[in-house]
Amino acid sequence: MPRIMGQAKISSEKLLIDRLSPARMTPYLQAAGSPREAIKLYRWNLEASAVLYEALHVFEVVLRNAIHEQMTQWHQAQGQAGTWLTNPPSQLTSRSKDDLRAARGRAADALAYKHSKSGTATPSPTDDDIVAQLSLGFWRYMLATRYTHDLWHDAIRYAFPALKQGRLSEIETPVIRLHGLRNRIAHLEPIFTRQLMWDLRDMKAAIGYICPRTQAWFASTRTQSFKDVVRTSPLSKQPGTRQTAGNP
């Protein structure tokens, strides 16, 4: 009972900061200036992260499907057995091959669990099953400059037909930034210092290089939600501060 009474004397904001951890809340306190405003900023950060994550979901799915399609066609044209996911090309790094091996294992485990419930025989993972198990980091490294003179030139560049002059750096750079953004959101890190409209621009650019019509659909469904969340940032209401500070 004394413990409960002691907690009752603590302000709601202080209690929340303790529960969320002072270390986690320090950037919010420094930016917002008070516990009450820090809690508002933390809540806004959650809402902004949700908006970004929805958009990143579309970006990631479109990106991986485009690369997978071209790698599949290239692998078949080479007359290789299996698929590029089950029989990876020699040009891939050992890390990428390890990622593929792990993704195949996760896909097999997921199918085994699913079919153990129904008592039916477990099929082998399809390419779609394996692709679904690969992280954005895997696809980001498929665009690494080390592949400029082989996989990019022979296969991957065709995933981006609207890319001017077929320069790898034009797609690699925004994908690197978006990969970093996704990691920050996945690890519940602050994103309130980011220029969110720049993040949207990166997503639209990457999707546009793949398919301008898909980009138009993406922009029509995502742009307003980005504008709304930027407009409601607590930092935008503080004199001398802006939510639209540069990307970290």
Side-chain angles (χ1 to χ4, degrees):
M1 182 66 70
R3 190 171 182 177
I4 296 175
M5 290 177 64
Q7 284 190 356
K9 296 178 182 179
I10 302 175
S11 69
S12 297
E13 291 83 6
K14 179 64 168 60
L15 181 64
L16 279 171
I17 288 171
D18 286 345
R19 292 303 180 203
L20 294 170
S21 93
R24 173 170 292 279
M25 292 303 295
T26 294
Y28 299 92
L29 286 163
Q30 291 174 340
S34 72
R36 181 182 295 274
E37 293 304 314
I39 294 299
K40 289 181 181 178
L41 182 58
Y42 185 80
R43 182 182 178 90
W44 178 88
N45 198 84
L46 293 174
E47 294 170 353
S49 294
V51 169
L52 283 162
Y53 204 77
E54 287 182 0
L56 283 166
H57 166 83
V58 177
F59 153 74
E60 182 174 346
V61 169
V62 172
L63 177 72
R64 75 189 191 190
N65 287 345
I67 296 175
H68 171 55
E69 179 181 10
Q70 294 304 321
M71 285 297 296
T72 296
Q73 292 181 17
W74 174 81
H75 187 88
Q76 292 172 346
Q78 300 301 304
Q80 298 294 322
T83 73
W84 77 279
L85 299 172
T86 59
N87 180 23
S90 60
Q91 294 93 328
L92 287 185
T93 64
S94 57
R95 178 176 177 177
S96 291
K97 291 176 182 177
D98 288 343
D99 287 343
L100 285 173
R101 187 179 303 110
R104 293 195 298 270
R106 289 191 297 271
D109 290 344
L111 286 171
Y113 178 78
K114 176 182 177 181
H115 286 271
S116 69
K117 297 293 185 180
S118 62
T120 56
T122 302
S124 298
T126 65
D127 278 5
D128 287 340
D129 294 326
I130 299 168
V131 166
Q133 295 293 336
L134 289 165
S135 69
L136 178 58
F138 174 84
W139 304 104
R140 171 257 181 275
Y141 285 107
M142 287 296 291
L143 298 172
T145 52
R146 69 173 64 91
Y147 296 130
T148 300
H149 300 296
D150 43 56
L151 291 179
W152 169 258
H153 182 271
D154 296 336
I156 300 173
R157 68 187 176 106
Y158 296 107
F160 308 97
L163 187 63
K164 293 180 179 179
Q165 300 179 353
R167 288 197 297 263
L168 172 57
S169 61
E170 292 295 315
I171 182 64
E172 181 191 22
T173 300
V175 170
I176 289 173
R177 288 195 292 257
L178 293 171
H179 178 227
L181 170 61
R182 188 187 187 282
N183 284 346
R184 290 193 68 81
I185 293 173
H187 292 98
L188 310 178
E189 296 292 335
I191 59 168
F192 60 80
T193 60
R194 297 187 70 92
Q195 169 68 275
L196 300 189
M197 299 308 292
W198 289 3
D199 294 322
L200 177 63
R201 181 191 64 186
D202 278 344
M203 290 184 231
K204 290 197 295 186
I207 294 172
Y209 293 146
I210 296 166
C211 176
R213 292 176 66 182
T214 302
Q215 180 202 52
W217 169 80
F218 174 81
S220 70
T221 59
R222 296 293 100 201
T223 300
Q224 190 57 51
S225 62
F226 271 70
K227 289 181 178 179
D228 289 344
V229 78
V230 168
R231 178 176 50 80
T232 59
S233 167
L235 293 184
S236 67
K237 300 175 177 61
Q238 293 185 8
T241 62
R242 296 189 304 157
Q243 180 276 323
T244 54
N247 286 343

